[in-house]
Amino acid sequence: MRNQEMLTDGEESVQLIDEIGELKEILREVSKKLTRIETRVKREAIAAASKSVESPSAVSAKKAVDLSAEEVLQIYEDLRLKAKSGDEEYVRKKLLSMSATDLNLMCCELGMPPSSKNPSRRKMFELIIGRIKQSLMLSRHIDRQTI
């Protein structure tokens, strides 16, 4: 009797393991389907939001496209003077408020060609901050007005 009970227990264990495997496969399929649905919903929500509301960067880009090379250089000089006086927070806020087009123009005017066709705002921001710091270090003992 004990051998028959063991076989039955062994067979039952195998059946349970098979059922667990089947359930795991079903859960994987459900997870894949949920992920697919979630991705579609997110895409639709983003598309709907971008159609209904203009992004702040698009609005600022429309406003700031009018800047000329001379105006960009004047802004740079203002930022350099503010940084020299110790107001680095103002410099960062001003650069963050500028559009990508203006940042790109400023980089080009300062002799820093973009490393790619569409450089990131962060990269341009870092390049300009670096150029301001470089200018401050080089002009520490030089009066720009006399040159």
Side-chain angles (χ1 to χ4, degrees):
M1 272 275 197
R2 285 189 169 189
N3 287 339
Q4 288 178 347
E5 287 177 13
M6 282 190 203
L7 270 160
T8 323
D9 289 341
E11 290 174 359
E12 191 175 331
S13 297
V14 170
Q15 287 177 349
L16 289 174
I17 290 173
D18 289 342
E19 286 182 40
I20 289 173
E22 290 173 10
L23 287 173
K24 282 184 177 182
E25 185 61 34
I26 291 170
L27 287 174
R28 280 189 208 108
E29 289 177 23
V30 169
S31 176
K32 287 178 188 177
K33 287 181 182 181
L34 283 174
T35 302
R36 197 174 328 124
I37 291 170
E38 184 180 21
T39 304
R40 290 166 104 189
V41 168
K42 284 181 183 179
R43 283 183 195 153
E44 292 298 321
I46 290 171
S50 66
K51 287 179 184 177
S52 65
V53 178
E54 260 187 81
S55 66
S57 61
V59 173
S60 66
K62 288 180 184 176
K63 286 191 264 181
V65 170
D66 301 328
L67 292 179
S68 67
E70 293 81 21
E71 291 171 329
V72 168
L73 289 175
Q74 182 61 40
I75 291 171
Y76 169 76
E77 188 61 26
D78 178 51
L79 294 176
R80 192 188 68 77
L81 292 173
K82 290 286 187 179
K84 186 176 182 179
S85 68
D87 196 3
E88 292 179 19
E89 187 64 31
Y90 171 80
V91 173
R92 291 187 183 281
K93 285 181 182 177
K94 179 70 174 178
L95 285 175
L96 288 174
S97 70
M98 292 177 70
S99 70
T101 308
D102 291 337
L103 291 174
N104 194 12
L105 180 61
M106 186 177 288
C107 284
C108 290
E109 289 296 320
L110 294 174
M112 300 176 290
S115 58
S116 66
K117 188 174 183 178
N118 292 320
S120 68
R121 289 178 54 85
R122 186 176 143 257
K123 181 70 175 168
M124 292 186 289
F125 178 82
E126 290 173 0
L127 285 171
I128 294 169
I129 290 289
R131 186 55 60 103
I132 290 172
K133 288 181 179 181
Q134 181 183 29
S135 174
L136 292 177
M137 286 174 35
L138 291 173
S139 65
R140 188 174 290 167
H141 302 291
I142 297 174
D143 184 14
R144 283 185 173 245
Q145 299 302 328
T146 60
I147 296 178

